[in-house]
Amino acid sequence: AYLKFVGVDFDLVPSNNHASPTGALPFLLPALPPGPETPIPSGKLQKWAIEQVHCEEEQQLNPRFNVYSSLLDHRIRNAWLYLLYLNHENFEAVTRRLYVDSTSSNFAVRAALSSQLQQAARDELLKSSQFIDASALEAEAAEAFEALSTLLGDHVHFFNRPNPGLFDASVFAYTHLLLDQGMGWKYNRLGQLLSRHDNLVQHQARLLKFF
C-alpha cells in the first residue's frame, strides 16, 4: 500500500517468507537499476522509496511516529498473530487456505508447515510473556485501537498529512484484513473492537479506493 501511496509502480507475485531476506513479507525486487536482484525487506521500503521518488520521511516530520508505530508492531501485531495462527477455527478456515493448502497437495508437507507456522507464532508471543493469554492480547489491541482513533481524530490521514503515508499504510495493512468479509473469519474479536471506532473504519474505506 505504501508504494502505491507514494506513486511507485509495482507488480505483485506470489511468494512466501522463506524467499524474504528477513523471513517476513512483503519484500521488493527492484526492476532498476539492471543487474543482480537484491531483495529489499519491508523495513527498508521507505528508505528505498525516498531515494527513488524523493518522498518525505515521516519519522523526522513527526516525533510521535515511532511511539504510535510501536502500538502496531507489538500490541496489534501480537493479537493478530493469535487470531490468525493460534485460534483453531481461524487457522482451519483462513490460514490453512492462504498459507498451507496453496503450497502443496502432500498431506505430510501440509501438516509440517501448519505445525511450523503455529509454533513460530507461539515463539514470537512468548518473547514478551511467560504464557499466551488471548483475552489479554485482545485487551491490549483494544487499547491500541483506541489510541489510534484518538490520534486520527477528524483528520483524513494520520498526522494530518495531505496524502496517505507509511503510517497510514501500516494501519491499513491490519484494518483492511480485519474488516474484509472475504477473509472468511470464524472468530474476529479484533474486527469487532476495530469497528467501534468509526474514524478508523472510514480511514480503511478511503484507502481501499486506491486499489
Side-chain angles (χ1 to χ4, degrees), residues 100-107 109-110:
V100 177
D101 293 349
S102 60
T103 62
S104 174
S105 59
N106 183 281
F107 175 80
V109 172
R110 288 181 172 182

Side-chain angles (χ1 to χ4, degrees), residues 109-154:
V109 172
R110 288 181 172 182
L113 181 56
S114 295
S115 178
Q116 291 172 5
L117 290 172
Q118 292 181 310
Q119 188 58 50
R122 291 190 192 94
D123 291 343
E124 185 65 24
L125 292 176
L126 290 173
K127 289 180 181 179
S128 56
S129 177
Q130 293 183 338
F131 56 91
I132 299 172
D133 184 337
S135 297
L137 292 171
E138 291 169 353
E140 290 185 350
E143 293 176 355
F145 286 137
E146 178 74 32
L148 291 174
S149 177
T150 300
L151 175 65
L152 180 60
D154 295 329

Side-chain angles (χ1 to χ4, degrees), residues 39 86 99 129 139:
L86 300 183
Y99 299 121
S129 177

